[in-house]
Amino acid sequence: MRRSVAPGRKGVRRRVQPGFKSPSWDRLVSALALSHPADPMAPAVPLALLALGLGLGLALPGCHYPTHLWCSSQEIAVACQAESRCADLSHPKAAPVQLSLYYESLCPACRGFLAQQLFTTWVLLPTEVMNITLVPYGNAQACLMHEAQNFTTYFPVIFCMESGYSATENLKACLQVYAPQLDAGRITACAQGELGAALMHRNAQLTDALDPPHQYVPWVVINGKHTDELQVQAQSSLLRLVCQLYQ
């Protein structure tokens, strides 16, 4: 005996548990609306958030992306009404603190600030918090920076040179420890030749262009300006100062 099939059902039968009713989108939306009946102060739930919470991947007008991409950019999050679910997009990263140090490689106060304050702060902070520009009076360090190019390569070498007994005589040993890929002979030849003189001349021009003009070394410029207060704070606790300035 064949069972009769309801009109329009094409003869497809599904086995379901007793009492179970398949949810529909209309029923879900209606249930959500009824959870706050006639409450004008109840917050509206964006359709995109409801779809995201239910895992439905519902396409919205202007949103042509699957749910797993809704937080991939600010534009997509706006189009898909998912900004409140994208924490990283709602809190953009701050601009790094810009610090420039004008110093002499044989100056005891310069060596102390670079080794005890600047290098320590650089090591402790995430890389995106602070950008450092070094403008040294010293042919060897100027040539080292020219050869290495990358700040993360030459700064540990300069720290090593400034921490030792003689900044110039320590070059070879510091290279062996921190940047063995660099050629000490090339750097020494640069420092003793015309290229070293040209690099020093450029640093001298940068120093002479300071506003206000520098009166001593080390001379610290933070976010494009120098004040006595910034100088004192940088030399007493650079880490605290940078953390205060990084917003």
Side-chain angles (χ1 to χ4, degrees), residues 154-165:
Y154 64 71
F155 191 33
V157 180
I158 291 178
F159 159 74
C160 177
M161 294 171 64
E162 295 291 354
S163 301
Y165 176 76

Side-chain angles (χ1 to χ4, degrees), residues 26 50 54 60 63 86 99-100 103-104 134 136 170 229 235:
D26 293 338
L50 181 58
L54 296 174
L60 299 172
C63 177
C86 305
L99 186 147
S100 298
Y103 69 105
E104 297 176 4
L134 299 179
N170 290 339
E229 182 180 359
Q235 291 192 261

Side-chain angles (χ1 to χ4, degrees), residues 2-33:
R2 297 179 59 186
R3 293 174 178 255
S4 61
V5 180
R9 299 296 289 176
K10 301 291 185 180
V12 177
R13 302 177 60 217
R14 292 183 298 174
R15 298 182 62 186
V16 296
Q17 296 179 357
F20 176 82
K21 292 185 179 180
S22 176
S24 67
W25 173 252
D26 293 338
R27 191 182 304 133
L28 289 171
V29 174
S30 299
L32 181 65

Side-chain angles (χ1 to χ4, degrees), residues 157 160 172-180:
V157 180
C160 177
K172 186 175 182 179
C174 291
L175 285 175
Q176 291 177 346
V177 174
Y178 292 102

Side-chain angles (χ1 to χ4, degrees), residues 61-97:
C63 177
H64 309 289
Y65 309 92
T67 55
H68 70 277
L69 292 179
W70 285 1
C71 291
S72 61
S73 73
Q74 183 70 33
E75 293 77 11
I76 295 177
V78 171
C80 298
Q81 303 177 23
E83 295 169 277
S84 62
R85 294 294 295 264
C86 305
D88 291 341
L89 293 177
S90 61
H91 299 285
K93 293 182 179 179
V97 175

Side-chain angles (χ1 to χ4, degrees), residues 40-63:
M41 301 301 293
V45 180
L47 191 59
L49 298 189
L50 181 58
L52 183 62
L54 296 174
L56 300 177
L58 180 68
L60 299 172
C63 177

